[in-house]
């Protein structure tokens, strides 16, 4: 992406050349329009970070006093986000999908966090820029059930870097229904007053994200995104707070270490999420079109989900999951997307209520179908990577996060390591 200064420099050169020729000289504005048009043909928006929007449960609302008299009323919310691919130009998506009322944003900024770290309250003020909306407005009101984008902004992000987004709402959001992502595993900060430009916040903190649902990068057309539809294992239960070591984060690092810098990785997972019904957040069958098909620049869609359906079932859920996966895959293929299926990992052990022989049988049946049915373009055998080879209904002890369901960071690394990178060269 060329900056305005570069565009003007190139325009000046073109104007000089045209003055030497016998052609009718072009105006600066005409040249800028031509260059911008050419650039629009060569670039597109691709999501470099996503957070699955969901209705925030009462126990995951912002701490007092930021939930009373209007959520974040006269308060600043500061959040750090982990990018996957880099770009010189980005835009931010803010969601009010599950809000019970309009969401007023009075002011917003973007900056790099202090030390480039996740979860910190401070920013590098030399990088601070205001976010605007609707072609230059400092504030925006997001209608109930809608999302808005910031205006595109020239703000360089490096691959795997952190950015900080600060939002201030003078009126706050009325009611108690708001949009967020409780399983952020990342510290967010909040303080009374308009402090979007301040070097640091000294108020309260919580390990949830609110409102911000995507960051999109303006990149060449050979770039694309991998969207992972999942549950708490992909959301990062068992990872280190502020560590960005969920298995998708570790996959990003492995991809880029191997020269795959043109594919963004978008984590569209939530703890407790299901495929069919119940669970936390909208089930997969209600959200996959929004979270996968409508993600900017998507080319690859991975389904790694189903453990909560099996773990809460009384039996007979395997065929329902297969039918659901067929539906999702058919819609993805109709949209020209590449599909990937991940096998469900083990969940049996002392104190783990999911682990019964009948449910283990369903898991094995589903995994065999994922690997052999030909439904997916590609498959990833996560179960083989981290299950105990001598007791296949259990996670390997070195990968067990402690509850016999969620892997630890070593398990997440093993999952990232088994992902076939040659998918991205085809």
């Amino acid at each position: 992406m060329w900056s305005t200064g570069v565009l003007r420099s190139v325009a000046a050169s073109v104007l000089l050349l045209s003055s030497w020729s016998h052609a009718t000289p072009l105006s600066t504005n005409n040249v800028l329009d031509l260059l911008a048009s050419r650039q629009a043909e060569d670039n597109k928006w691709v999501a470099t970070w996503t957070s699955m929007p969901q209705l925030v449960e009462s126990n995951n609302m912002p701490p007092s006093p930021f939930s009373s008299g209007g959520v974040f009323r006269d308060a600043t919310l500061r959040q750090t986000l982990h990018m996957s691919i880099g770009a010189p130009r980005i835009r931010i998506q803010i969601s009010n999908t599950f809000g019970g009322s309009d969401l007023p944003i009075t002011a917003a900024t973007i900056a790099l966090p202090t030390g480039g770290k996740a979860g910190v309250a401070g920013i590098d003020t030399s990088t601070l820029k205001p976010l605007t909306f609707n072609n230059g407005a400092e504030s925006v009101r997001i209608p109930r059930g809608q999302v808005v984008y910031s205006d595109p902004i020239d703000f360089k992000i490096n691959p795997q870097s952190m950015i900080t987004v600060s939002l201030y709402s003078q009126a706050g959001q009325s009611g108690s229904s708001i949009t967020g992502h409780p399983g952020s595993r990342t510290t967010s900060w909040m303080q009374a007053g308009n402090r979007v430009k301040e070097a640091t916040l000294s108020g309260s903190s919580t390990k949830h994200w609110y409102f911000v649902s995507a960051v999109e990068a303006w990149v060449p057309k050979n770039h694309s995104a991998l969207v992972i539809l999942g549950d708490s294992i992909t959301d990062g239960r068992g990872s280190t707070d502020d560590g960005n070591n969920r298995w998708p984060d570790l996959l990003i690092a492995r991809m880029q270490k191997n020269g795959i810098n043109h594919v963004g990785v978008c984590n569209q997972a939530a703890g407790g999420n299901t495929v069919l019904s119940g669970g936390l957040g909208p089930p997969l069958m209600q959200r996959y079109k929004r979270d996968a098909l409508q993600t900017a620049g998507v080319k690859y869609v991975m389904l790694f989900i189903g453990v909560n359906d099996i773990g809460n079932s009384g039996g007979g859920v395997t065929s329902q999951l297969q039918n659901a996966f067929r539906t999702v895959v058919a819609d993805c293929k109709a949209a020209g997307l590449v599909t990937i299926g991940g096998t469900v990992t083990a969940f049996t052990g002392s104190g783990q209520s999911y682990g019964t022989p009948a449910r283990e049988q369903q898991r094995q049946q589903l995994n065999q179908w994922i690997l052999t049915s030909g439904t997916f373009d590609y498959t990833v055998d996560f179960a083989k990577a981290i299950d105990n080879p001598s007791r296949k209904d259990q996670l390997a002890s070195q990968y067990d996060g402690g509850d016999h369901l969620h892997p630890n960071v070593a398990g997440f690394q093993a999952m990232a390591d088994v992902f076939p990178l040659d998918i991205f060269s085809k």
Side-chain angles (χ1 to χ4, degrees):
M1 175 68 191
W2 293 322
S3 67
T4 301
V6 172
L7 283 172
R8 291 193 176 277
S9 177
V10 174
S13 298
V14 173
L15 281 170
L16 181 60
L17 288 171
S18 70
S19 70
W20 290 345
S21 73
H22 296 291
T24 302
L26 296 170
S27 70
T28 301
N29 287 339
N30 285 341
V31 174
L32 288 171
D33 289 343
L34 287 170
L35 292 172
S37 176
R38 176 59 183 273
Q39 188 178 20
E41 294 174 359
D42 294 339
N43 288 266
K44 65 179 181 180
W45 291 109
V46 172
T48 181
W49 175 89
T50 57
S51 173
M52 179 193 137
Q54 59 191 108
L55 177 66
V56 176
E57 305 93 341
S58 58
N59 60 312
N60 289 321
M61 292 289 284
S64 179
F66 301 100
S67 291
S68 58
V71 180
F72 292 115
R73 180 174 179 235
D74 188 30
T76 298
L77 168 67
R78 177 166 287 176
Q79 306 178 103
T80 55
L81 318 173
H82 184 224
M83 305 296 97
S84 55
I85 55 174
R89 188 171 175 83
I90 61 174
R91 64 181 184 180
I92 310 296
Q93 184 190 83
I94 303 175
S95 175
N96 192 25
T97 300
F98 297 99
S101 61
D102 289 355
L103 171 61
I105 303 295
T106 310
T109 60
I110 186 171
L112 297 180
T114 302
K117 296 180 179 180
V120 295
I123 58 172
D124 178 353
T125 55
S126 69
T127 67
L128 181 71
K129 289 188 176 183
L131 290 175
T132 59
F133 307 88
N134 299 322
N135 297 315
E138 292 183 355
S139 62
V140 67
R141 179 173 288 270
I142 309 171
R144 176 182 177 182
Q146 302 296 314
V147 301
V148 301
Y149 282 97
S150 72
D151 294 332
I153 182 171
D154 290 330
F155 187 91
K156 183 180 180 181
I157 57 170
N158 291 320
Q160 302 184 68
S161 65
M162 301 297 304
I163 66 169
T164 298
V165 175
S166 301
L167 305 175
Y168 169 69
S169 180
Q170 185 176 45
Q173 184 164 23
S174 61
S176 58
S177 295
I178 68 170
T179 303
H181 189 85
S184 68
R185 275 91 198 173
T186 306
T187 307
S188 298
W189 294 86
M190 55 211 72
Q191 187 173 351
N194 184 352
R195 303 177 186 277
V196 296
K197 297 180 180 180
E198 294 195 7
T200 191
L201 300 189
S202 58
S204 302
S205 66
T206 186
K207 288 181 172 58
H208 307 307
W209 282 316
Y210 303 102
F211 309 132
V212 180
S213 51
V215 179
E216 295 179 6
W218 186 241
V219 288
K221 285 194 172 180
N222 68 332
H223 286 54
S224 60
L226 161 67
V227 171
I228 305 167
L229 300 170
D231 47 44
S232 57
I233 296 176
T234 298
D235 201 26
R237 174 86 177 264
S239 64
T240 307
D241 288 344
D242 298 322
N244 288 317
N245 50 17
R246 313 162 189 84
W247 78 261
D249 300 316
L250 300 174
L251 175 61
I252 294 167
R254 179 170 169 246
M255 289 166 61
Q256 295 184 0
K257 183 178 180 180
N258 285 273
I260 304 171
N261 300 306
H262 63 288
V263 180
V265 177
C266 298
N267 191 332
Q268 295 281 41
N273 199 238
T274 60
V275 175
L276 302 170
S277 62
L280 298 178
L284 178 73
M285 299 311 292
Q286 296 178 20
R287 71 179 180 92
Y288 75 89
K289 292 182 180 178
R290 177 199 71 187
D291 291 344
L293 302 184
Q294 296 174 13
T295 295
V298 61
K299 179 178 179 181
Y300 310 91
V301 175
M302 180 173 195
L303 276 66
F304 174 47
I305 189 169
V307 68
N308 293 315
D309 298 84
I310 297 172
N312 288 299
S313 75
V317 75
T318 303
S319 61
Q320 297 177 58
L321 290 172
Q322 292 171 359
N323 288 335
F325 288 169
R326 287 189 189 100
T327 297
V328 176
V329 168
D331 283 348
C332 288
K333 290 188 176 181
L337 306 179
V338 177
T339 58
I340 308 163
T343 55
V344 177
T345 52
F347 48 72
T348 296
S350 176
Q352 179 48 251
S353 62
Y354 280 11
T356 68
R359 290 169 181 163
E360 173 62 16
Q361 184 179 17
Q362 291 185 81
R363 181 180 80 96
Q364 293 292 348
Q365 290 172 347
L366 179 63
N367 284 350
Q368 183 69 11
W369 177 84
I370 289 171
L371 293 172
T372 64
S373 68
T375 300
F376 297 94
D377 296 310
Y378 300 94
T379 60
V380 183
D381 198 351
F382 286 142
K384 183 178 180 181
I386 67 171
D387 289 358
N388 186 339
S390 60
R391 181 72 192 271
K392 293 186 178 181
D393 63 338
Q394 297 182 357
L395 294 173
S397 59
Q398 68 269 30
Y399 298 142
D400 191 337
D403 64 359
H404 313 303
L405 169 62
H406 297 96
N408 55 22
V409 174
F412 288 147
Q413 185 65 66
M415 293 170 67
D417 288 344
V418 79
F419 194 100
L421 299 185
D422 61 347
I423 290 175
F424 304 118
S425 63
K426 299 175 182 178

